[in-house]
Amino acid sequence: MDQKSIPQKILEHVQKHAIKGNVSNVIDTIDNFCYKFEREAINVGDEKGKYLDEIVKSCSPKTALEIGAYAGYSALRISRALPADGKLYSIEYNEHHAEVTRKMIQYAGMDNKVTVLCGSSPDVIKSLTVSGFDFVFLDHTKELYKPDLLLLEECNLIHSGSVIAADNIVFPGCPEYLEYVRNSPKYECTTYMSKLEYSDREDGIEKAVYKKQT
Ligand code: MG
């Protein structure tokens, strides 16, 4: 029986077939591989990925945070969309996935822009020494979206104008998070409806712009 994880299989395919140092080719290679062989992979994928790119480009973040790295796919998309001096921190709870992500980012030549931090999201958030984030992508345990956003607020790690993008708002869904950002006067929300990765199933990304109350 094949014991390799999906992220490990994706990484090995990339190392064999993608052009080293070419981030766009690595992204396309991952999508093609997953459409053909690994439809269960939980990369944000090419369909929602287009909206993710658009959201990142529209806010030109100098400092970005991602929670939930998996195989490094969204880290590649976000880092490609960052301005030249932009930096991405990617938090991943699973040590094996964090290692796959580090190797993926290195292969794509994006290691100067991305730092992978392994640990539980609340612990890593509390230990961060950066001054704050202009952009945050939530793509980890759905029940943690809301508490982790509240923690980012509490730790002053987001500021007026910070953009929060949340994946999987339909499937598997994150109702508590959506209820919070959509009803809070501190956030201005936009919904981007699309398709679940490598599937015809409906899913989307929620963009929430933080407006700190003074
Ligand atoms: Mg996702």
Side-chain angles (χ1 to χ4, degrees), residues 39-132:
R39 285 181 176 252
E40 300 298 306
I42 53 166
N43 312 314
V44 70
D46 56 336
E47 294 287 341
K48 288 181 289 175
K50 285 176 211 153
Y51 293 114
L52 177 62
D53 298 350
E54 196 183 295
I55 296 167
V56 175
K57 282 177 187 163
S58 72
C59 64
S60 252
K62 289 276 158 60
T63 318
L65 174 69
E66 157 184 271
I67 314 181
Y70 189 55
Y73 177 88
S74 49
L76 296 180
R77 286 198 91 105
I78 295 167
S79 56
R80 182 179 65 172
L82 288 176
D85 57 347
K87 184 107 181 88
L88 171 69
Y89 294 84
S90 178
I91 300 176
E92 172 55 52
Y93 178 70
N94 179 304
E95 272 178 40
H96 166 66
H97 293 174
E99 204 40 45
V100 166
T101 296
R102 284 191 189 102
K103 287 177 183 162
M104 189 73 80
I105 285 161
Q106 198 173 25
Y107 191 86
M110 301 306 268
D111 40 325
N112 57 335
K113 294 187 117 177
V114 187
T115 303
V116 180
L117 303 163
C118 188
S120 81
S121 47
D123 289 348
V124 176
I125 289 168
K126 285 180 212 155
S127 74
L128 286 167
T129 52
V130 295
S131 59

Side-chain angles (χ1 to χ4, degrees), residues 42-44 48 137-139 142 145 167-168 197 203:
I42 53 166
N43 312 314
V44 70
K48 288 181 289 175
F137 183 50
L138 302 174
D139 194 16
K142 308 310 155 194
Y145 281 18
D167 189 29
N168 306 111
E197 50 270 23
D203 194 19

